[in-house]
Amino acid sequence: MSVKFGTSGLRGLSVDLLGEPSSLYSAAFCRHLEDTGQAEKGAPILVGQDFRDSSPAIAASCMGAIAASGFTPIDCGALPTPALAFFGQKKNAASIMITGSHIPADRNGIKFYRADGEITKDDEQAISAWAEKLKGTVDTGNAEGEDMSSEAQALFTARCTAILPEDALAGMKIGIYQHSTVARDLFIAVLEHYGADVVPLGFSETFIPVDTEAVSDETVGLLKGWAKEHGLDALISADGDADRPLVADETGTPLRGDLVGLMTANFLKAKVVVTPVTSNSGIEKNGDFEVVRTRVGSPFVIAGMMDALKSGQDGVMGFEANGGLLTASPFRPADDTIAPLPTRDCFLPILSALYLAAKDRRPMSELAKAYSLPVADADRIKDFSQERSGALMAYLRERDENLSAFLEPVGTVAHRSDIDGLRVTLEDGRIIHFRPSGNAPEMRCYVEAKDADAASRLLRQGLSLIEGFKAS
């Protein structure tokens, strides 16, 4: 069975999640909540889902297990993950989101949330332990929950329409790549609220796995074609569950997620920014804030934010390299205070980037260029087994000589970081970072260089080295 916890919830093949596994882990989550005093029997547990074909059936199994465990399932329908988490905070209720985010359509996942936000790695371990104890004893029937989808959507819409000043985007023509993201209708409503001229594009009834961290050539081609055809000032989109933003400039060229996160930090006037080691190395030089680096994954970013709060700091936010943005402190960017939302959200960063371009009355491409970040690029090799990636990482870590010999075709090692994967700075200042995916059979490569050609060349070389590795 493929089901396991990764960097963002429980993931696996859809066929492996259907039935007993989704029931088992939902029941384990209920027992964990009860065991830790986070919820009592009879308490509501919210359930949301994305637009994958398998999501409704998995959601029904989860609600069946919730009901059988003595809790009250609440059906929030198809909605963005940040909307579900925000509704859970307001209702003081735990929640479960059925989504595989950006991974292929034959896969799916389950994200678990406490009433105060995402579960921690300790929570994951406890849920896994309960699943092992309960195996073979869980009711695998389905159930329906009380429908609160409209209330959940309305609450999050109110949050999103309080971020910017009135008519903040008036005069901007913005394309929305709708595809199969659960944010597609809300994007239209929010951008029109701020006065933008909205052009909906690429609606799909079939699920399309859009990865906002490694945007495919096919997606870039669509964006560039639409930008030219419609004379757009920008394009936006998101992954399947709308916790990762995609912002493209007036030419259809996507902005990297960490750049969008940096823009948001400056828009919010943040004082502490927590971000993984994979985010651009130039972030520290582009804002008046402290930067804390972590391992990849929102649980680690959240832990870093909570540590900052405990030390008495305020103005605390975080973002991942994919642009998913989290806030641990309240912020007041316009007339209303925005409550903390310590889970990834695509709306706040998208609105921040669009507003900065609108306020300065300059093209999005010029706004991006003004940050003068090293050029970063990233891609992944699919169908690269976790056994093979594990063998590669073990080999590179075993001896310095192994790492030096492996990278000899691209450069000389100056120093390395083991925070998450292997991030190597070469003597000429270029950066190459190898990291196995935490939730899919993929090997990722991240690079930085002084210009786009150098970054593209280094990325191709890095991927070629990965593909050529043969475990002994």
Side-chain angles (χ1 to χ4, degrees):
M1 186 171 68
S2 65
V3 176
K4 61 182 291 188
F5 276 106
T7 55
S8 185
L10 194 72
R11 294 281 178 87
L13 293 170
S14 299
V15 293
D16 287 347
L17 273 169
L18 287 165
E20 196 216 1
S22 51
S23 300
L24 175 62
Y25 277 90
S26 297
F29 181 49
C30 291
R31 291 294 293 269
H32 173 60
L33 293 173
E34 188 177 6
D35 185 52
T36 55
Q38 296 180 59
E40 298 179 350
K41 276 194 166 60
I45 296 181
L46 316 178
V47 179
Q49 59 184 275
D50 66 13
F51 286 136
R52 291 168 189 266
D53 289 344
S54 60
S55 291
I58 295 173
S61 293
C62 292
M63 286 190 282
I66 291 168
S69 299
F71 291 81
T72 304
I74 302 296
D75 187 358
C76 293
L79 80 172
T81 291
L84 180 70
F86 191 59
F87 192 48
Q89 286 183 359
K90 295 299 182 182
K91 291 289 186 182
N92 193 32
S95 54
I96 292 175
M97 179 70 182
I98 314 305
T99 180
S101 187
H102 65 285
I103 61 178
D106 64 338
R107 296 174 178 272
N108 212 327
I110 304 176
K111 295 180 179 178
F112 299 96
Y113 290 82
R114 308 183 315 194
D116 60 350
E118 289 188 33
I119 61 171
T120 66
K121 288 298 179 182
D122 288 342
D123 291 321
E124 284 183 6
Q125 293 175 7
I127 294 167
S128 295
W130 271 114
E132 191 63 33
K133 292 177 186 176
L134 296 173
K135 193 176 293 184
T137 68
V138 173
D139 185 338
T140 57
N142 295 340
E144 295 182 357
E146 180 184 354
D147 185 353
M148 288 192 177
S149 55
S150 295
E151 185 179 346
Q153 291 273 12
L155 182 70
F156 193 64
T157 301
R159 172 188 173 84
C160 294
T161 52
I163 292 171
L164 303 181
E166 186 177 355
D167 293 328
L169 303 180
M172 290 193 78
K173 189 175 185 180
I174 302 170
I176 298 175
Y177 178 25
Q178 293 185 289
H179 65 93
S180 51
T181 176
V182 287
R184 58 192 181 191
D185 294 331
L186 187 54
F187 276 149
I188 295 174
V190 171
L191 294 191
E192 288 184 343
H193 167 82
Y194 289 120
D197 178 8
V198 174
V199 183
L201 300 160
F203 183 98
S204 176
E205 294 287 357
T206 304
F207 186 81
I208 299 174
V210 172
D211 186 346
T212 64
E213 188 173 7
V215 184
S216 69
D217 291 341
E218 180 183 4
T219 298
V220 173
L222 289 172
L223 298 175
K224 287 182 174 292
W226 288 327
K228 184 176 181 180
E229 178 184 355
H230 298 283
L232 302 174
D233 294 306
L235 294 101
I236 67 163
S237 191
D239 60 343
D241 67 322
D243 68 349
R244 302 180 179 196
L246 193 160
V247 178
D249 66 19
E250 72 281 1
T251 71
T253 302
L255 275 58
R256 280 186 54 87
D258 47 11
L259 171 57
V260 177
L262 174 59
M263 290 177 175
T264 310
N266 285 322
F267 166 69
L268 293 176
K269 297 180 174 58
K271 297 178 181 177
V272 179
V273 171
V274 183
T275 194
V277 65
T278 50
S279 292
N280 195 288
S281 64
I283 289 169
E284 281 83 347
K285 300 177 182 178
N286 277 275
D288 186 21
F289 42 70
E290 176 190 350
V291 178
V292 178
R293 296 282 182 166
T294 72
R295 292 178 60 188
V296 174
S298 52
F300 300 109
V301 175
I302 293 169
M305 294 194 304
M306 295 305 110
D307 286 344
L309 289 182
K310 289 175 185 176
S311 68
Q313 300 185 80
D314 61 359
V316 180
M317 58 157 280
F319 60 83
E320 295 196 274
N322 54 46
L325 195 120
L326 313 90
T327 53
S329 299
F331 288 93
R332 193 179 178 88
D335 295 331
D336 297 317
T337 298
I338 305 301
L341 182 56
T343 192
R344 286 183 308 215
D345 171 32
C346 77
F347 282 84
L348 178 54
I350 285 173
L351 292 172
S352 299
L354 293 176
Y355 177 67
L356 290 177
K359 179 174 67 72
D360 291 350
R361 297 183 181 277
R362 57 175 167 170
M364 184 70 74
S365 61
E366 289 186 12
L367 176 65
K369 192 178 296 183
Y371 283 87
S372 300
L373 295 176
V375 175
D377 206 349
D379 204 348
R380 66 197 187 279
I381 297 176
K382 299 179 181 179
D383 300 319
F384 198 91
S385 72
Q386 293 181 325
E387 291 78 15
R388 189 177 174 195
S389 61
L392 171 59
M393 299 308 292
Y395 170 76
L396 296 179
R397 287 186 171 114
E398 184 180 12
R399 294 186 304 161
D400 290 343
E401 291 81 2
N402 290 358
L403 181 62
S404 296
F406 185 76
L407 289 176
E408 185 177 6
V410 299
T412 303
V413 176
H415 56 85
R416 55 187 267 181
S417 167
D418 272 307
I419 291 178
D420 197 343
L422 272 174
R423 188 173 181 86
V424 178
T425 302
L426 303 173
E427 282 191 344
D428 59 8
R430 293 175 300 158
I431 293 173
I432 186 164
H433 184 166
F434 302 112
R435 177 180 166 270
S437 171
N439 49 42
E442 299 174 349
M443 187 71 184
R444 292 186 177 267
C445 181
Y446 312 82
V447 300
E448 287 186 21
K450 64 181 180 179
D451 58 51
D453 288 342
S456 178
R457 184 166 54 253
L458 182 58
L459 180 60
R460 290 196 304 270
Q461 291 174 312
L463 293 172
S464 178
L465 289 174
I466 294 169
E467 285 185 313
F469 174 75
K470 290 180 174 53
S472 57

